[in-house]
Amino acid sequence: MTKYIVNRLLGMIPTLLIIITLSFFIVRIAPGGPFASERKLPEVVERNINAKYHLDEPLIQQYGRYMFDILRGDLGPSFKYKDYDVNYYIANSLPKSIVLGSYAMLLALVFGISAGIIAAIRQNTWLDYLSMGVAVIGISVPLFVIAPVLQLIFAMKLKWLPTSGWYTTGEGWKTVILPAVSLSFAYFANIARLTRSSMLETLRSDYIRTAKAKGMKNTTIIFKHAMKGAMLPIVSYLGPAFAGIITGSIVVEQIFRVPGLGKFFVQSSFNRDYTLIVGVVIVYSAILIVMNFVVDIIYAQLDPRITYK
Amino acid sequence: MSMKPNAKTVLEVKDLQTYFKTDAGIVKAVDGVSFSVREGETIGIVGESGSGKSVTNLSLMRLIPSPPGRIVGGEILFEGRDILKLTEKQMRSIRGKKISMIFQDPMTSLNPFLKISTQMVETIRLHEKDVSTQEALERSIEMLKLVGIPSAEKRIQSYPHQFSGGMRQRVMIAQALSCNAEVLIADEPTTALDVTIQAQILELIAKLSDKMGTAVILITHDLGVVAGMCDQVCVMYAGKIVEKAETDELYARPSHPYTEGLIKSVPRMDTTKKGNRLFSIEGQPPNVIDLPPCCPFHPRCHKAMEVCRHAYPPVKDLGKGHEVACWLFADESEKQQALKEANVKEKAE
Ligand SMILES: Nc1ncnc2c1ncn2[C@@H]1O[C@H](COP(=O)(O)OP(=O)(O)O)[C@@H](O)[C@H]1O
Ligand code: SF4
Ligand SMILES: [Mg+2]
C-alpha cells in the first residue's frame, strides 16, 4: 500500500508537467494577446512591454524560463494585474474557494445521501417523489436563478442572513451560508439521485437477500450490509465533483461577492493573461489529480476486493 | 437417506398461491402447491426453470419481493402456527434460526464487503442474544471445520472473494446451520458449481442434515440429484405440483408423463454412450400468465387427450402417498363430466 501511494504521488509529477506544457502553448497559440487592445500602442511602448514580459524571446526560450520558475514554485507575474504576481492571487483566493466548496460539498453529501437513502427505502411513496422532485429542481434550475432567489428570500426579505460578503466583511460565518447552500444544490441533486439508484440496485443483490434470509432487520441490512456497496458510485463521483465545486463557483462568487478563485478562471481568459490562465489550470489539475487519488484510496478501503500493490 | 415415516411433520404447506402483478398480467408463479416436510427428512422439489420452485420456497420465508409479488392464498404451518399470519418481527425470529436458506450462486450470496467472521457471528448473535461475540466466533469456526474449510481459525477472517465457489457454498451451509435450524432450504445449491464439486456439496448437505437432524428442502432441476438424497419428491410444472411420491416409488412408477420425461432425460453412466443423444422433453414450459383451464403440459404431452385441453386434471392418490395430477388416472365419468362443463362454459361465452 505504501509503495502504491508513493508510486501514485510520483506519477502525478509527469502528468502535471504535461498539463502545464500543453496549456502553456495552447494559450499562446490562441489568437489575441494580453496587450492587444483596440487602441494601437506606440511601437516603443509595445516593445518595452514585450521585453519586460519576455514576449520578444523565441517561444521555446519563454517555455524554458517559465518551467524553471515553476519548479521553484513561482507562477510568474500576472500580465494584467500589474501590482501582484500569480502566486499572490491564487494564495489569496484559493483558500476561500476551498472553504466555500468544502461547506457546499459537506451539505450536498449529508443531505444528498440521506435523501437518496430515504427515497430508495421508501420507493414510490411521497417521500421518494419529494426527494427526487427537489433533486430534479436542483439539476435543472441553473445557479444564476437559485442563488438570487435564495438571496432575495433569506437576505433581503427575511433579513436572516447577509446579502453578500465573506468572513472578512465582519459578519463572520453567516456570510458562508447562502453561497454554500446555493453552490451545493446541483451536487446535492446528483448525489441524491446517485445514492437512490445505487441503493436500490444494492438492495436487489443476492447478498441482501441472504441477509434477509438470516432474519436481519431492514435498518441493519441497509446500514451494515448495503451501505458500503451503495456508496461506491458516490465515492467515484466525489473526485471530479470536489475539484469542480472548488473551482467552478464563479456565479456564486459573483452574486455573493465572495473573493474566490472562480473569478480568475473567466477573467484571465478574457484578458489573455497567459500566466494567470496557466496558474489557474495548474491549480485545477492538481486538485483533480489529488482528489482522484484520494478517491482511489477510499475505494480500496471500502471494497476489500480491491488491493493496491 | 433415511426414511422417517413416523416422524412428526415440521412444515406443512397447504394450497399455497403466490402471484406477481406485472404489466403483462398476473403471473401465477405458484398456484395451489401443497406438501409437507417431516422432521429430519429430505424432500426434493424438481422441475424445469421457471416452474415456481424458488417462488414456493421464498414464500415459506416470506421473502417474496413485494411489489410485484404477493402470497394470495394458502397456509404454511410451521410448528403448528401459520407463518402467513405472523408479524414481521415474529417472522424474523424464524428466518435464519428455525428455517434457513442457501442459494444457487455462492459467488454473490455472501456480502463481498464483510469478513466471513462478521457475517457468521452476526447470524448467531442475532438469534441468540446471550451469546458473546467470542463464543459466536468459536462456534462459527467449529461450523467451518464441520463443513470442511481447512485452517478455519485463519480463514474465517478472510473476505468471500478469497474463497472458491465451492468453498463459499460450504461457508453458506455453515452459516445456515449455525443456529441449528429445523429446516434448511437449499435452492439449487450446486447449479452454479463445477461438476466435480457438486457431488461433494450434496454429500455435505446430506451428512450434516443427518447429523444435526435438520429437514432439508432440496430444490433442483435435476432428477439425478434427487435420487441419491431425497426421501420424498415433488415434481413441479407451471406453478403446480404434478406428481408427488417417495423417491423409490417415483422411480419405480413414474406416472405423470412429465415425470417420465424428466427421468428419461437424466444422464446415466451405463446407457449414455457416445452418439446416443440424451432424451429431452420437447417444447417450452407455458407462460403462466392468463393460463386457460387445461393441463398446462398438454402441448408437450404425447398422451394428451381432448379433456386435457379443457380442464385441469384432478389429483389422484395411487396409494402410499403417491399423488399425480393427470387425466390418465381419472375415471371415464370424471372426464365426461369435465368435458361437458367445459363445453357448457364455452357455449355460454
Ligand atoms: N419478481 C418477479 N416478478 C415477476 N415474475 C416473477 C418474479 N419472480 C419470479 N417470477 C415468475 O415466477 C415464475 C416462477 O419462477 P421461479 O420460482 O424463480 O422458477 P424456478 O422454478 O426456476 O425457481 C416464473 O415464471 C417467473 O417469471
Ligand atoms: S393430463 Fe393429459 S396432457 Fe396432462 S399430462 Fe396427463 S395426459 Fe398429458
Ligand atoms: Mg429458481
Side-chain angles (χ1 to χ4, degrees):
Chain A
M1 191 69 176
T2 322
K3 192 166 163 233
Y4 171 79
I5 293 177
V6 171
N7 279 343
R8 276 290 296 264
L9 289 173
L10 289 176
M12 290 177 188
I13 295 169
T15 316
L16 267 179
L17 288 180
I18 291 170
I19 291 169
I20 296 169
T21 306
L22 283 178
S23 27
F24 178 90
F25 288 107
I26 288 171
V27 292
R28 281 167 176 78
I29 291 166
F35 307 110
S37 54
E38 310 88 63
R39 204 158 49 82
K40 186 95 184 74
L41 291 170
E43 207 167 304
V44 201
V45 178
E46 196 175 330
R47 212 178 318 138
N48 280 343
I49 289 177
N50 281 347
K52 183 180 168 205
Y53 291 102
H54 308 289
L55 291 175
D56 51 353
E57 293 171 2
L59 205 49
I60 197 72
Q61 195 176 338
Q62 290 183 42
Y63 173 68
R65 183 188 299 280
Y66 185 71
M67 288 310 262
F68 183 69
D69 284 346
I70 282 201
L71 293 180
R72 292 184 319 175
D74 179 4
L75 294 170
S78 163
F79 286 11
K80 185 72 184 182
Y81 310 104
K82 305 272 171 340
D83 304 337
Y84 299 101
D85 55 16
V86 174
N87 281 26
Y88 172 84
Y89 287 113
I90 291 182
N92 258 291
S93 60
L94 181 63
K96 290 158 190 150
S97 289
I98 290 183
V99 168
L100 175 57
S102 303
Y103 277 119
M105 194 47 107
L106 194 69
L107 286 175
L109 274 174
V110 170
F111 290 100
I113 291 177
S114 315
I117 291 177
I118 291 171
I121 57 185
R122 294 273 177 269
Q123 197 191 358
N124 300 330
T125 65
W126 66 272
L127 274 169
D128 184 13
Y129 300 137
L130 178 72
S131 332
M132 289 307 113
V134 175
V136 168
I137 294 174
I139 287 174
S140 47
V141 180
L143 253 184
F144 60 79
V145 176
I146 290 178
V149 167
L150 290 179
Q151 194 177 38
L152 189 73
I153 299 173
F154 294 100
M156 291 168 181
K157 285 267 189 279
L158 299 170
K159 299 205 187 302
W160 289 350
L161 296 165
T163 35
S164 64
W166 192 242
Y167 282 101
T168 41
T169 46
E171 305 215 46
W173 59 272
K174 282 187 177 173
T175 50
V176 190
I177 297 175
L178 280 181
V181 169
S182 314
L183 188 56
S184 74
F185 237 86
Y187 294 89
F188 154 80
N190 279 322
I191 291 173
R193 281 157 52 114
L194 255 176
T195 305
R196 178 183 183 272
S197 62
S198 117
M199 181 55 91
L200 281 176
E201 198 184 313
T202 309
L203 288 177
R204 274 194 295 269
S205 60
D206 285 354
Y207 63 85
I208 296 301
R209 187 183 57 188
T210 306
K212 285 184 189 158
K214 295 203 299 192
M216 304 191 71
K217 261 194 239 168
N218 268 340
T219 40
T220 323
I221 288 177
I222 284 165
F223 290 104
K224 191 169 176 188
H225 281 263
M227 204 59 173
K228 274 190 177 178
M231 282 301 108
L232 292 181
I234 315 295
V235 172
S236 313
Y237 168 75
L238 280 187
F242 204 75
I245 210 170
I246 287 175
T247 45
S249 54
I250 172 89
V251 176
V252 166
E253 289 180 11
Q254 292 289 325
I255 292 171
F256 296 103
R257 277 188 253 141
V258 178
L261 186 69
K263 169 174 87 171
F264 296 117
F265 240 100
V266 179
Q267 283 186 359
S268 61
S269 306
F270 279 135
N271 294 337
R272 297 281 187 278
D273 193 341
Y274 293 157
T275 44
L276 192 51
I277 296 177
V278 179
V280 173
V281 167
I282 293 173
V283 169
Y284 179 79
S285 320
I287 293 175
L288 192 62
I289 292 172
V290 170
M291 281 317 294
N292 278 334
F293 168 64
V294 172
V295 160
D296 285 349
I297 298 291
I298 297 178
Y299 217 95
Q301 293 304 315
L302 285 178
D303 191 343
R305 287 167 296 188
I306 297 174
T307 45
Y308 298 129
K309 290 196 192 85
Chain B
M1 184 165 59
S2 50
M3 297 295 248
K4 297 186 178 70
N6 302 319
K8 213 169 80 207
T9 297
V10 269
L11 184 73
E12 187 169 8
V13 180
K14 285 186 186 169
D15 206 19
L16 179 70
Q17 291 175 301
T18 306
Y19 295 177
F20 291 89
K21 210 179 236 166
T22 68
D23 294 338
I26 307 275
V27 178
K28 298 185 176 175
V30 172
D31 201 13
V33 160
S34 306
F35 62 91
S36 56
V37 185
R38 281 164 295 193
E39 250 172 17
E41 87 170 336
T42 298
I43 173 169
I45 298 186
V46 192
E48 283 165 302
S49 169
S51 54
K53 307 180 298 290
S54 297
V55 172
T56 301
N57 286 280
L58 286 171
S59 303
L60 305 188
M61 296 287 262
R62 284 204 2 215
L63 285 177
I64 295 294
S66 167
R70 210 162 76 81
I71 299 175
V72 296
E75 281 177 28
I76 300 170
L77 300 173
F78 178 72
E79 293 180 335
R81 289 188 299 178
D82 186 357
I83 276 183
L84 300 180
K85 294 205 178 78
L86 299 183
T87 63
E88 180 58 25
K89 193 172 172 215
Q90 288 170 319
M91 194 58 223
R92 280 202 304 267
S93 68
I94 289 183
R95 289 184 199 130
K97 165 78 181 155
K98 305 265 184 181
I99 307 178
S100 48
M101 195 159 183
I102 60 174
F103 300 93
Q104 178 166 338
D105 193 352
M107 301 307 247
T108 53
S109 294
L110 287 161
N111 191 329
F113 302 103
L114 300 175
K115 284 181 187 163
I116 301 297
S117 55
T118 313
Q119 303 188 48
M120 289 191 71
V121 165
E122 83 179 353
T123 316
I124 296 171
R125 303 241 305 145
L126 183 68
H127 295 293
E128 294 169 40
K129 299 277 186 282
D130 51 341
V131 173
S132 73
T133 309
Q134 188 55 39
E135 285 164 346
L137 185 68
E138 279 159 19
R139 195 200 298 176
S140 306
I141 293 170
E142 280 314 305
M143 288 306 300
L144 289 185
K145 284 182 183 162
L146 209 56
V147 298
I149 304 269
S151 44
E153 289 90 348
K154 225 169 64 206
R155 296 287 273 152
I156 197 170
Q157 300 302 345
S158 351
Y159 289 94
H161 72 272
Q162 293 163 312
F163 288 84
S164 68
M167 284 295 162
R168 275 188 238 186
Q169 197 61 298
R170 285 171 193 266
V171 173
M172 281 296 288
I173 294 168
Q175 175 173 268
L177 294 178
S178 63
C179 291
N180 226 327
E182 318 251 325
V183 180
L184 171 70
I185 300 173
D187 190 346
E188 312 221 17
T190 59
T191 307
L193 299 177
D194 282 354
V195 187
T196 47
I197 299 176
Q198 290 185 0
Q200 294 173 15
I201 295 291
L202 290 171
E203 214 168 278
L204 178 69
I205 294 175
K207 192 187 92 191
L208 279 186
S209 61
D210 214 40
K211 181 171 170 174
M212 305 179 77
T214 317
V216 178
I217 301 178
L218 180 70
I219 304 174
T220 172
H221 59 261
D222 181 359
L223 249 185
V225 163
V226 161
M229 266 191 83
C230 300
D231 302 299
Q232 229 195 118
V233 185
C234 300
V235 179
M236 267 193 95
Y237 191 79
K240 293 187 159 80
I241 291 181
V242 295
E243 184 161 9
K244 178 164 55 178
E246 305 214 318
T247 312
D248 300 342
E249 163 72 11
L250 189 87
Y251 275 93
R253 272 207 297 161
S255 303
H256 197 284
Y258 179 59
T259 315
E260 282 181 58
L262 282 182
I263 290 180
K264 273 197 221 158
S265 56
V266 174
R268 286 168 60 155
M269 291 306 175
D270 44 346
T271 57
T272 317
K273 298 202 185 73
K274 241 188 239 163
N276 192 356
R277 276 201 59 215
L278 207 58
F279 175 86
S280 71
I281 306 168
E282 265 175 44
Q284 291 294 313
N287 185 351
V288 285
I289 300 175
D290 303 324
L291 207 58
C294 66
C295 167
F297 189 59
H298 82 259
R300 305 168 73 185
C301 180
H302 59 282
K303 292 180 184 161
M305 300 162 282
E306 182 59 17
V307 65
C308 306
R309 280 178 262 280
H310 297 290
Y312 190 79
V315 178
K316 290 289 164 189
D317 194 333
L318 308 180
K320 289 196 272 178
H322 186 164
E323 288 177 5
V324 61
C326 170
W327 280 115
L328 291 173
F329 302 89
D331 301 331
E332 202 52 41
S333 60
E334 261 180 302
K335 288 187 214 162
Q336 293 308 327
Q337 178 68 18
L339 272 173
K340 213 158 92 194
E341 275 173 29
N343 283 335
V344 167
K345 252 190 248 158
E346 266 166 37
K347 267 176 212 148
E349 266 164 20

